[in-house]
Amino acid sequence: MTDANRSSEPSTRAQILSDPLSGREVIFAPARTKRPGNHEALREPAAADEAENCPFCEGREQETPPELFALGTEKGRAPDTPGWKVRVVPNLYPAFERQQVVVHTPTHTRSLADLSDEQLVLIAASWAEAAERAWAQGFDHLLAVINEGVAAGASRPHSHSQLVWLDRLPPEVATEAPRLRRDGCALCALLHDLDPALKLAERKLGDSTVSLAVAATGRAPYELLVAPDDHQPDAFGSGELLAAALALAAEGVRRLNAVEGASPFNLWLHNFQADGHWHLELVPRLNTYAAIELGGGIFINTLRPEEAATRLREASL
Ligand SMILES: [Zn+2]
Ligand SMILES: [Zn+2]
Ligand SMILES: [Zn+2]
C-alpha cells in the first residue's frame, strides 16, 4: 500500500500494545455506549435442587471416583467419607493421562470469592501436594486452573479447581518462560514500574509481598494479575504465598461481582519449575472472542485498565 492510499483511511486507529509477559497483541477500543458486561454473560443462577444433586458436597463422596487424598480431615476418617475440608479426586472425564479435581469446600459454595482464607490455605496446600506427587512421578509441569460459570466452561457449580499433570511446559508457559528469566524478567519490571492506579491490593508475608493489579495489557475487560513482587519461579514451594495470591484473586472476583454482577471467569497459575516468575492470571468472561482475536491473535479490549481499576477499587464490598 502506498502512503497516498494509506492517507485516505480514517485516522482513528488505536495503538497496538504488546503484552510484556506473552507478546500477545492488545488494542484498547473503549465502546462508549456499551458496558463490557451483558446479561447473558453473567453467571447462571443456582438451580433449586442444585445442592441436593451435587456430587462435590460432603456426604456424597461415593458419587466421585475414589479420592487421591484429602486435607483438613477428622481423626480416624476413612477415605471417601465425610469429615474433610478439601478433597482431591480424579476427573471423571479426563482429557489427559492425569487430570484431577480439587473440591474446594465440603459445603455447597459457588465461588472462590465466597471461601474463607483458611479454606484457601488448604486449597493452595492441595495444589502443592499434587505438585510433589507429579514431580515424584517424573512429570514436568502442573497446570492448575479454575473455571467458574457455564460461560467460562465450568461443568459443576460447586467451587473447584482442576490440576493437569504434563510432561512438558504447555505452550503458553513455554512462550512466557524466556521473557521471565531472572536476568531481564518482564514481570519483575512490570511490578517495579507498576502504575499505582492499576494496583488494587497487596498482602505481605515475611519479606515477600504479593500484589493484585489490573493487567495493563489485558485481553479482556477487568483482566487481573496476581504475583509476588520478588522473582520466584515456583508457587507450589512458596509456602503460604500461593494461598495469599488466591485470597487476592478472590478479592478481585468480589470486586468484579460488585461492579458487574456475578461474573464467569477463568483463572490459572503460570508456574515455572526452573527459572521464571509465577503468577495468577484471571480473565473475566463477560465478552465473546471473535475472529480477530482467534484468527488474528489480536485482542480488542473495550475497557481501559485505568477505568477498570477505578471501578474495582470503588466497588463497595
Ligand atoms: Zn455442592
Ligand atoms: Zn521476575
Ligand atoms: Zn502468564
Side-chain angles (χ1 to χ4, degrees), residues 93-114:
Y93 307 104
F96 298 87
E97 185 187 346
R98 295 270 207 295
Q99 186 176 354
Q100 296 138 11
V101 172
V102 178
V103 182
H104 286 171
T105 166
T107 53
H108 196 72
T109 306
R110 294 185 109 225
S111 179
L112 182 75
D114 299 324

Side-chain angles (χ1 to χ4, degrees), residues 152-166:
S155 53
R156 295 274 175 202
H158 188 127
S159 180
H160 66 282
S161 44
Q162 298 202 53
L163 303 174
V164 180
W165 300 19
L166 296 170

Side-chain angles (χ1 to χ4, degrees), residues 29 31 78 82 87 104 106 124 223 229 256 271 291:
R87 195 162 169 263
H104 286 171
E223 183 168 332
D229 289 0
L256 174 64
N271 198 65

